[in-house]
Amino acid sequence: MASLLCNARIQLTDTLEQMQQGTLMRKVKSKNWKKQRYFKLQDDCMTIWYQSKRTGKIESAFSISDVETVREGHQSEVLQSLAEEFPPERCFTIVFYGRRGNLDLIAGSAEEAQCWIQGLRQLIEVATSMDQREKIDQWIRDWFQKADKNKDGRMNFKEVQRLLKMMNVDMNEDHALRLFQDADKSESGTLEGEEFVLFYKALTQREEVLSLFQDFSEDGKKLTLLELVDFLRQEQLEDTGTEELAMELIDKYEPSETARARHVLSADGFLMYLCSPEGSIFNPHHRELWQDMTQPLCHYFISSSHNTYLIEDQIRGQSSIEGYIRALKRGCRCLEVDCWDGPNGEPMVYHGHTFTSKIPFREVVSTLEKYAFKTSDYPVILSLENHCSMEQQEVLAQQLKAILGEKLLTTTTDGRVPTQLPSPEELKHKILLKGKKIGRLEDTLDGPGDEAPDVSDDDNGAEVEEERRRAKEARSHSRPSEISSLSEAKARKLIRDMGNDFVRHNTWQLTRVYPSGMRTDSSNYSPQEMWNVGCQIVALNFQTAGMEMDLCDGLFSQNGRCGYVLKPPFMRDKDTLFNPSDPDSREGPGPTTLTIQVISGQQLPKVANSKDGAIIDPLVRVEIHGVPADQAHQETKHIENNGFNPRWDEMLQFQLHVPELALVRFVVEDYDKTSRNDFVGQFTLAFTNIKPGYRHIHLLSKDGTSIPPSSLFVHIRITEPPSPEQD
């Protein structure tokens, strides 16, 4: 069984063996909450569980694939607060993907800390570099671990029945027993090692993929190179370098060496391709940096966060540098800092007039210096809400200059008054300040920031509307380096009253939109209506999961996740006639038709905290977010009691008048006829990033983290309207 339990890529070193024996460490939640827990790496080398020293009860477990990184020393606020009590060489922090809180640990000795730090890093590297086949093997191991209750490395039929319920499978006992007996080659009444692999493969047999494979395979057993080329051209609409692509896919995904040598693809290899990044709905070319980055800043949508320092709500929530680290890791490029006078002449960051905790401004700037360019090379805009006295403003300026050094942009790129904003390319590795500034840019080109006054959040409505009314005239005295800051309500009024003027304004100046002050629970507004008029800095509460953040992640998951997405051409032309409320104002041949056949689902997760681990009744809803005329949603029927391999085979169709601005969100829900449906998983992407053909959609959790192997299998058809010349 050992071969099934431990990943073949993992060399069992002394370090990992020591982790498997277990270590007593302190788990720390605050300066006063430090409790001893026993941590142990499981036999699969991919799961860690820990238990209370006092009760011996297993408290929690996590998978290595949930861990993003390990930080050494006092690299969290909690561990910093204990710096005098515990030396840095005994401390480390386990950082998880998504919004899950960090795990701060103190080992008994520096050697024990190093053992866990190095061991975890080795395992994280293995987990992140696994290919498709290794991932499947890992899922099999994970399920085996969960179901093998008595940990004897084999599974009897009762354990298999429990496993089926855990996997969201509602299967009658006779059928389950038949699969069990077919896999039990040794006829021992239990499954072990490869027998369990056979059982899992029988369980995950994909009839719909097999039938597609046989449509293109003459002998029903393999696809020749030419047959694969036919499939790629006819169904996947791959029209350039198709032969090379076919060869590449066989080399990459065909598990059999002899088939690879003969340049053919088996049914297993075909499924591996369809489940891979090349078989995903998201165009892999658009995952990389693929847009022109030399246009003025105002020609891009910019990933932007509101109250970045908060990781909870706005009244009593905790302020934390973790908020900045998480936002920057997600590709956020505009961060908010609320500065207030603090004790001992040290400015502090917190949400004014509330009970939120406080962090020194110096710590925020140090975090920015360290993390600003880890995910993206393009500029970070620091939106400074400055409530400090003149004395502490001096301290702010000193700290910014001393800590950020060359990274802080302190003058225009060429030392002259700009006629247009610089580009992200020109501003690589630079940090820009956005805030109110005394005097004009012309008079202070050697000052601490490169921006003219930011119109403040509470006095700008009338001024900005007046400025828009005199849009043509205003352009002669407004400068591109000025920026308007609008609450969501003021932005909506401008969209309603003067949509086209607003779009034109945003072709040459930046606009920041922020959530209403009434959103004390840190909820979000939909960013889509603001993007529809070209607002660049649409600030959201990154700490709050939901549809609004799904749209934000969906838009910015392209272009190398660099935090900048180029606006469509009709939103960059200062004489544009475009108005989102009138789709005909976008010159073009007519609406595009998006046809989605929702075929099947694979291994959907259970609903979190569901009573008695009930099996779900899944349905799929497809939502279009775009200009008002394109806003739409349709859903499939629900399938009763099958979260494992539901089949819908339903066709949904949408008309898109402005496809360049549309985002498509796929949501899976657990149907409930008496109350609201429960969320199961989702995936959101810009329409322009969709690949047509037979595609898998790899679902994400509420937090935006991946939940492999959960997916949807769909067929996508995009029908462009005929261009006028063709009529």
Side-chain angles (χ1 to χ4, degrees), residues 651-714:
M651 200 75 82
L652 310 176
Q653 198 168 70
F654 302 92
Q655 299 291 314
L656 303 181
H657 299 81
V658 189
E660 299 90 338
L661 286 174
L663 287 163
V664 184
R665 182 171 182 252
F666 295 84
V667 192
V668 181
E669 288 183 343
D670 178 14
Y671 172 77
D672 191 325
K673 63 174 184 290
T674 55
S675 61
R676 267 181 64 181
N677 293 349
D678 286 312
F679 174 90
V680 173
Q682 68 83 30
F683 187 78
T684 307
L685 76 169
F687 171 80
T688 48
N689 295 329
I690 289 179
K691 285 279 274 185
Y694 286 97
R695 302 287 168 186
H696 275 97
I697 296 168
H698 299 282
L699 294 172
L700 303 175
S701 69
K702 218 183 193 92
D703 264 355
T705 55
S706 60
I707 38 176
S710 303
S711 61
L712 296 175
F713 186 48
V714 298

Side-chain angles (χ1 to χ4, degrees), residues 157-168:
F157 184 59
K158 195 165 180 211
E159 286 175 316
V160 163
Q161 284 180 295
R162 189 186 304 114
L163 170 72
L164 292 175
K165 189 153 190 207
M166 283 161 67
M167 289 173 102
N168 240 331

Side-chain angles (χ1 to χ4, degrees), residues 27-203:
K27 177 183 169 187
V28 188
K29 284 189 180 175
S30 68
K31 202 166 179 176
N32 304 319
W33 197 104
K34 305 184 284 284
K35 303 210 171 159
Q36 291 214 314
R37 296 287 182 265
Y38 185 65
F39 286 80
K40 190 170 187 292
L41 175 66
Q42 296 301 287
D43 291 343
D44 68 346
C45 290
M46 279 283 146
T47 316
I48 287 164
W49 59 247
Y50 52 98
Q51 65 188 55
S52 162
K53 186 193 176 204
R54 194 172 54 80
T55 64
K57 193 169 121 261
I58 292 183
E59 198 174 275
S60 193
F62 59 86
S63 167
I64 294 292
S65 52
D66 296 333
V67 180
E68 185 179 348
T69 189
V70 181
R71 296 188 205 143
E72 243 174 295
H74 298 143
Q75 286 207 56
S76 76
E77 286 142 307
V78 172
L79 291 174
Q80 279 165 12
S81 72
L82 295 165
E84 288 176 18
E85 206 177 331
F86 298 101
E89 54 272 16
R90 284 174 54 194
C91 301
F92 63 99
T93 302
I94 297 175
V95 181
F96 296 96
Y97 287 106
R99 292 178 178 81
R100 179 173 176 172
N102 296 346
L103 188 56
D104 288 315
L105 298 173
I106 301 169
S109 68
E111 293 71 35
E112 283 182 349
Q114 271 309 309
C115 167
W116 279 83
I117 291 163
Q118 298 309 327
L120 284 167
R121 285 178 177 164
Q122 180 193 339
L123 296 173
I124 292 166
E125 196 174 327
V126 171
T128 49
S129 64
M130 278 196 259
D131 66 23
Q132 197 67 21
R133 179 152 294 281
E134 288 171 315
K135 281 180 184 164
I136 290 169
D137 290 345
Q138 185 56 46
W139 299 327
I140 296 174
R141 279 193 290 273
D142 288 349
W143 283 120
F144 193 96
Q145 284 281 103
K146 286 176 191 163
D148 182 16
K149 267 287 188 248
N150 59 5
K151 302 286 177 250
D152 64 352
R154 58 188 63 198
M155 210 178 298
N156 60 35
F157 184 59
K158 195 165 180 211
E159 286 175 316
V160 163
Q161 284 180 295
R162 189 186 304 114
L163 170 72
L164 292 175
K165 189 153 190 207
M166 283 161 67
M167 289 173 102
N168 240 331
V169 182
D170 182 28
M171 187 183 283
N172 75 49
E173 200 168 318
D174 292 347
H175 185 51
L177 186 59
R178 198 159 54 249
L179 286 183
F180 180 88
Q181 287 167 342
D182 287 349
D184 181 17
K185 300 293 183 198
S186 62
E187 299 183 0
S188 61
T190 60
L191 302 182
E192 48 191 303
E194 289 311 307
E195 293 177 338
F196 182 71
V197 176
L198 283 173
F199 174 76
Y200 181 89
K201 290 197 168 152
L203 204 57

Side-chain angles (χ1 to χ4, degrees), residues 443-461:
D443 309 327
T444 55
L445 266 176
D446 56 351
D450 81 326
E451 296 206 59
D454 168 27
V455 187
S456 79
D457 295 343
D458 50 8
D459 65 2
N460 59 346

Side-chain angles (χ1 to χ4, degrees), residues 471-609:
K472 291 273 192 300
E473 186 190 327
R475 239 170 256 183
S476 59
H477 8 260
S478 279
R479 299 165 187 82
S481 55
E482 290 182 346
I483 178 169
S484 309
S485 244
L486 306 168
S487 72
E488 57 177 288
K490 283 177 183 161
R492 273 194 204 102
K493 185 170 179 0
L494 287 170
I495 292 167
R496 194 172 59 243
D497 297 349
M498 40 188 54
N500 175 246
D501 282 341
F502 204 173
V503 175
R504 286 185 177 198
H505 175 86
N506 287 328
T507 63
W508 66 287
Q509 239 189 25
L510 290 168
T511 298
R512 174 176 172 266
V513 181
Y514 58 91
S516 152
M518 306 302 285
R519 295 182 181 273
T520 52
D521 58 351
S522 290
S523 62
N524 281 312
Y525 55 93
S526 169
Q528 187 69 47
E529 55 186 328
M530 312 305 173
W531 292 330
N532 286 343
V533 285
C535 294
Q536 303 86 349
I537 301 177
V538 179
L540 296 177
N541 290 300
F542 269 46
Q543 71 272 29
T544 308
M547 177 270 288
E548 299 83 4
M549 270 310 295
D550 292 346
L551 296 180
C552 180
D553 287 341
L555 178 65
F556 292 104
S557 57
Q558 62 180 312
N559 209 25
R561 287 188 182 274
C562 76
Y564 288 82
V565 168
L566 190 62
K567 298 199 280 191
F570 56 84
M571 302 190 91
R572 310 197 302 260
D573 168 10
K574 62 184 191 318
D575 300 318
T576 183
L577 299 173
F578 178 68
N579 183 345
S581 61
D582 173 16
D584 294 339
S585 60
R586 166 193 165 269
E587 290 168 21
T592 295
T593 305
L594 171 64
T595 308
I596 300 168
Q597 185 191 2
V598 180
I599 303 168
S600 61
Q602 292 73 46
Q603 302 181 57
L604 304 174
K606 291 208 156 182
V607 169
N609 314 321

Side-chain angles (χ1 to χ4, degrees), residues 207-231:
E207 294 302 329
E208 76 282 28
V209 173
L210 199 56
S211 122
L212 177 61
F213 175 81
Q214 286 166 346
D215 287 348
F216 283 84
S217 162
E218 197 176 325
D219 67 1
K221 294 187 176 68
K222 65 178 183 305
L223 286 178
T224 64
L225 187 62
L226 288 178
E227 287 169 343
L228 178 57
V229 166
D230 283 348
F231 172 76

